[in-house]
Amino acid sequence: MATTQVRVQDPSDQDASTRERVLALIASEGPVSAASLAADLGLTSAGVRRHLACLEEDGLIVVHDAGVHGPGKAQRGRPARRYVATRQGQSRMAGEYPELASAALRFLRDHVGPEAVETFAAERFAGMAERYREGVDAPDVAGRVEQLAALLASDGYAASVRPVGLPGASVRLVQLCQGHCPVQQIAAEFPELCEAEAQVFTELLGTHTQRLATLAAGGHVCTTNVPVVAPATTAPRPATGTPAGRTSEHVTPPHAEGSR
């Protein structure tokens, strides 16, 4: 009579699997707190903190330095520790293919020239632009940023949009943030990839963008500033009777000074 063997999973295997899930969530959603991780993964607070301690000890995650919160915004009590993936942690999630891709780009650069890498990067992100173009069609920049973030998130870039700037400023800014980059390790050696991506963002959004930080350069997220409201400008109105093609400069008559 045949017997069926049931394999009981080793607790250490379960721990490793859970730890990978914790790392994956931190890499995609960080900075993230232990409480959020526990809620998202269905773990106890004690359990998630144990995994965090192991990941931190292995150099795969670090506590995010949130910096100053701004004048008049001092927080009460001790703020929750939030975690982000280190470059080593991001590379762990990417697998082994980045080294092969980097080797191929080095060969291209060394045997064809640096311009070949630039052409490769431009063509790679041109494909992204083509895929995204129909989905980034809102009538205003703010809407297009939200659409672009959603498309990036669906492709695994863990993208989000965060408002920045002071109320009442002439230009309102938002930040397009990417918590994960599939080519981070490669882009660290070949920044042409980041530059080509930034150019595509400018093209799709139809406005000037400014790249502030990248994962490849050591940032916790790729951050791109996007102005969503153009500064108000008033063109000078020519005085009556000014011939076409000439600009009229308004000069206050001397006698008008005392009449104000």
Side-chain angles (χ1 to χ4, degrees):
M1 179 177 179
T3 58
T4 303
Q5 293 184 346
V6 178
R7 181 179 180 274
V8 178
Q9 188 175 15
D10 191 310
S12 62
D13 292 341
Q14 295 178 355
D15 279 351
S17 175
T18 302
R19 202 157 296 150
E20 291 296 323
R21 291 167 59 207
V22 172
L23 176 59
L25 194 56
I26 293 172
S28 63
E29 300 294 336
V32 62
S33 67
S36 295
L37 289 167
D40 290 342
L41 297 172
L43 301 174
T44 64
S45 295
V48 79
R49 291 185 189 283
R50 179 168 58 85
H51 291 302
L52 290 171
C54 292
L55 291 169
E56 194 169 6
E57 184 178 349
D58 290 342
L60 301 176
I61 64 171
V62 293
V63 176
H64 175 57
D65 181 10
V68 180
H69 294 279
K73 294 185 179 180
Q75 292 187 342
R76 294 182 179 179
R78 186 178 178 181
R81 289 158 63 93
R82 295 179 177 273
Y83 297 87
V84 294
T86 62
R87 179 173 294 183
Q88 181 181 350
Q90 292 279 0
S91 298
R92 170 87 161 263
M93 297 307 302
E96 298 180 358
Y97 88 90
E99 180 51 39
L100 177 61
S102 294
L105 286 177
R106 286 188 211 109
F107 182 90
L108 196 64
R109 178 190 60 197
D110 296 342
H111 290 78
V112 181
E115 65 281 356
V117 177
E118 295 176 4
T119 300
F120 169 82
E123 290 189 1
R124 180 185 186 278
F125 283 100
M128 170 192 278
E130 193 61 32
R131 287 190 299 111
Y132 286 4
R133 201 175 307 282
E134 290 186 2
V136 184
D137 59 357
D140 61 322
V141 177
R144 292 196 291 273
V145 176
E146 293 287 350
Q147 291 174 326
L148 177 57
L151 290 168
L152 288 167
S154 67
D155 274 352
Y157 287 85
S160 61
V161 180
R162 302 174 186 175
V164 295
L166 298 174
S170 58
V171 178
R172 186 166 67 89
L173 299 173
V174 297
Q175 288 182 344
L176 175 62
C177 301
Q178 297 158 262
H180 178 65
C181 175
V183 296
Q184 174 185 346
Q185 186 175 332
I186 307 166
E189 183 177 355
F190 297 97
E192 293 91 342
L193 294 169
C194 296
E195 293 164 6
E197 182 187 63
Q199 290 174 2
V200 165
F201 288 174
T202 296
E203 176 190 342
L204 289 172
L205 297 175
T207 187
H208 170 74
T209 64
Q210 181 184 15
R211 198 34 96 54
L212 300 182
T214 63
L215 286 160
H220 293 311
V221 293
C222 294
T223 307
T224 304
N225 257 9
V226 184
V228 296
V229 176
T233 57
T234 304
R237 302 178 68 179
T240 305
T242 300
R246 291 182 55 189
T247 301
S248 172
E249 296 184 1
H250 179 70
V251 179
T252 303
H255 66 272
E257 294 289 347
S259 63
R260 293 178 183 172

